[in-house]
Every structure is written in C-alpha cells, then in structure tokens.
Amino acid sequence: MAKINDYYQKKQLMEKLAAELEKLEEDQALKGELEFENKVRDLMKEYDKSPKDVLQILSAIDPSVAGAKAKAESTGGTRAKRPMKTYKNPHTGEIVKTRGGNHKTLNEWREKYGKEAVQSWQQN
C-alpha cells in the first residue's frame, strides 16, 4: 500500500507543479526575459561567441560585470585581511608593523623580553 500512496502523492505534486509552471509561462515579465535570452543565444551563435566571450565584452563596457564574474568564480576561500598590529619596543624605540604574529623581530623580542612584555607593547 505504501507504493500506491507514494504514487498518488507524487502525481498530485506533479499536477501542482504543472499548474505553477503554466502560471509562470503566462507571466509577461518572464516571457520578456525568455525572449531576451533567446535573442542573446541567437546572437552568440550568429557571431560564434561563447558566454565567456560575452562576459569579457560586457566587462570592457561595465567593469562592475568583471567584479561579479570574479566573485562567481571564487571558491569562497577568501577571508578578510588580518588587522595591522604595531609594536613599539620601549628599550630601543624600534617599531614593527605586522599582520601576523610570526614576525622575525617580534620573535626575537619575545625570546629576549618575554611574550607578555612584547604583547604589552602593542599600540592601537
């Protein structure tokens, strides 16, 4: 019996989706977008251009298109830059600016003066 129930549920779902699709196909805004898409595809065929070629052309006209393309191509592995930290050695007056904690001079200071002392030299 479970199979027949599953069958009727899926059949109802298909009928509902078919009705929604029919309603969408009557939408004038969608018709305009589909017509535009078809015309663009026809032009691409006529001039033997790929979507990539079209994006390059559009990015030359409007640079913001290139930014959107770059975002789309990125893998999402980018992260915000670390904040710049400035340390001033009170003994020598030397200033070190770094975004990471593994700076050669900072490591030397940590060995000589201790980690907590060097951390206290951070300026904002």
Side-chain angles (χ1 to χ4, degrees):
M1 279 302 232
K3 282 192 175 191
I4 197 164
N5 288 339
D6 190 37
Y7 169 79
Y8 282 115
Q9 283 178 346
K10 292 202 182 337
K11 189 171 183 175
Q12 284 178 335
L13 182 61
M14 279 182 52
E15 289 169 359
K16 180 183 174 191
L17 289 173
E20 288 179 21
L21 185 60
E22 200 172 306
K23 189 176 179 182
L24 273 174
E25 288 172 346
E26 294 171 3
D27 184 8
Q28 292 301 317
L30 177 63
K31 284 182 181 179
E33 288 180 27
L34 290 172
E35 182 182 352
F36 177 75
E37 179 188 0
N38 289 333
K39 287 182 179 182
V40 169
R41 288 182 186 276
D42 290 342
L43 278 172
M44 287 169 49
K45 284 180 188 173
E46 182 180 338
Y47 289 95
D48 193 32
K49 296 292 180 187
S50 70
K52 191 175 184 178
D53 296 331
V54 173
L55 278 176
Q56 286 178 336
I57 293 166
L58 292 175
S59 66
I61 296 169
D62 182 1
S64 68
V65 173
K69 184 182 114 181
K71 287 179 187 172
E73 288 179 352
S74 74
T75 60
T78 60
R79 65 177 193 196
K81 281 187 175 180
R82 291 181 179 178
M84 180 67 76
K85 293 182 179 179
T86 304
Y87 298 86
K88 182 175 182 182
N89 185 328
H91 303 286
T92 63
E94 187 178 359
I95 295 175
V96 171
K97 293 183 179 187
T98 182
R99 291 194 188 275
N102 197 17
H103 191 278
K104 180 180 178 184
T105 305
L106 282 180
N107 287 338
E108 291 172 0
W109 290 353
R110 287 183 187 121
E111 279 183 30
K112 188 172 181 179
Y113 302 106
K115 185 177 180 180
E116 291 79 19
V118 174
Q119 191 63 32
S120 70
W121 300 345
Q122 183 176 340
Q123 299 176 336
N124 292 332

